[in-house]
């Protein structure tokens, strides 16, 4: 092989590599434009009051209720559109107190939890260290909104919690739900009798 041939071959490989790298960078930058920035809930006064366990499809995460906010979005589950799944939440009331719980799923992936159909009342619990909220399990119907979405669970003392803002003696946990397209079922017709 000549030096000229080797030089042209390496230049062609470099151009292909550069173009591939460019496409990859463009793809990653485009996808990062769709990343949502969610509010971070706070609790100026915090104790053991909060979430002890979240179960939803394959998510089963037991925690100790501290601190006021935990990002568990690395924990995910995959669900199909038009399916139904139960959400169960255990809480610690921090003594003989009543706490209230809510969950939210950002179905339209717009970075908030305020749209119709995104909130789920978990009920309340009184004087438990690891008990289900009164409305658990909550049945969640999965809409046809394929994508990677955020689910937020918040437990708070004294008042119904909101998805954002300060709520003393509360805890919030975020998770990831991956919604796939609906499952297609093929209906087989019986064979005609001979």
């Amino acid at each position: 092989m000549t030096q000229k041939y080797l030089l042209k071959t390496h230049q062609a490989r470099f151009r292909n590599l550069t173009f591939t790298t460019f496409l990859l960078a463009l793809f990653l930058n485009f996808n990062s434009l769709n990343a949502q920035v969610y509010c971070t809930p706070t609790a100026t006064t915090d104790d053991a009051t909060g979430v002890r366990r979240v179960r939803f499809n394959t998510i089963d995460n037991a925690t100790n209720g501290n601190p006021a906010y935990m990002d568990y979005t690395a924990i995910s589950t995959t669900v199909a559109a038009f399916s139904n799944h139960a959400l169960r939440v255990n809480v610690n009331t921090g003594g003989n107190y009543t706490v209230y719980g809510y969950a939210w799923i950002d179905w339209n992936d717009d970075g908030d939890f305020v749209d119709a159909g995104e909130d789920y009342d978990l009920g309340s619990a009184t004087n438990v260290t690891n008990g289900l909220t009164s409305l658990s399990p909550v049945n969640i119907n999965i809409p046809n909104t394929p994508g990677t979405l955020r689910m937020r669970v918040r437990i708070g003392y004294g008042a119904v919690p909101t998805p954002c803002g300060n709520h003393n003696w509360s805890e919030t946990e975020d998770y990831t739900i991956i919604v796939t397209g609906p499952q297609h079922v093929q209906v087989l017709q019986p064979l005609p009798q001979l």
Side-chain angles (χ1 to χ4, degrees):
M1 290 188 198
T2 66
Q3 286 182 339
K4 187 175 182 181
Y5 173 78
L6 289 173
L7 181 61
K8 284 186 178 193
T9 302
H10 287 298
Q11 286 175 339
R13 285 184 185 162
F14 180 74
R15 271 194 304 269
N16 287 340
L17 178 62
T18 302
F19 184 69
T20 303
T21 304
F22 169 76
L23 287 178
L24 181 61
L26 183 64
F27 174 77
L28 291 175
N29 285 334
F30 178 75
N31 282 340
S32 68
L33 293 176
N34 293 330
Q36 299 299 339
V37 177
Y38 289 89
C39 61
T40 301
T42 59
T44 306
T45 306
D46 194 22
D47 62 6
T49 302
V51 180
R52 290 301 305 257
R53 186 177 182 191
V54 172
R55 289 174 284 170
F56 181 74
N57 195 32
T58 59
I59 293 173
D60 188 350
N61 190 36
T63 62
N64 64 6
N66 288 323
Y69 174 75
M70 286 301 301
D71 182 350
Y72 291 118
T73 55
I75 300 173
S76 67
T77 190
T78 301
V79 295
F82 305 118
S83 62
N84 298 299
H85 298 277
L87 172 62
R88 293 173 177 84
V89 177
N90 289 50
V91 300
N92 179 1
T93 62
N96 191 16
Y97 304 103
T98 299
V99 298
Y100 301 90
Y102 253 81
W104 299 268
I105 301 174
D106 185 16
W107 292 121
N108 62 355
D109 195 26
D110 67 347
D112 63 48
F113 302 102
V114 299
D115 302 296
E118 291 186 339
D119 60 330
Y120 300 90
D121 186 356
L122 299 171
S124 62
T126 303
N127 199 25
V128 296
T129 56
N130 191 8
L132 281 171
T133 57
S134 61
L135 297 179
S136 287
V138 172
N139 189 45
I140 296 184
N141 300 311
I142 309 300
N144 190 16
T145 56
T148 301
L149 308 174
R150 176 86 52 116
M151 176 175 75
R152 175 165 289 176
V153 176
R154 192 171 196 185
I155 300 300
Y157 165 74
V160 173
T162 60
C164 298
N166 190 65
H167 187 133
N168 289 332
W169 298 288
S170 71
E171 190 212 351
T172 306
E173 296 181 359
D174 282 355
Y175 296 89
T176 298
I177 297 177
I178 301 164
V179 178
T180 61
Q183 299 295 321
H184 298 284
V185 177
Q186 182 179 8
V187 178
L188 300 175
Q189 299 295 326
L191 295 174
Q193 296 207 358
L194 299 174

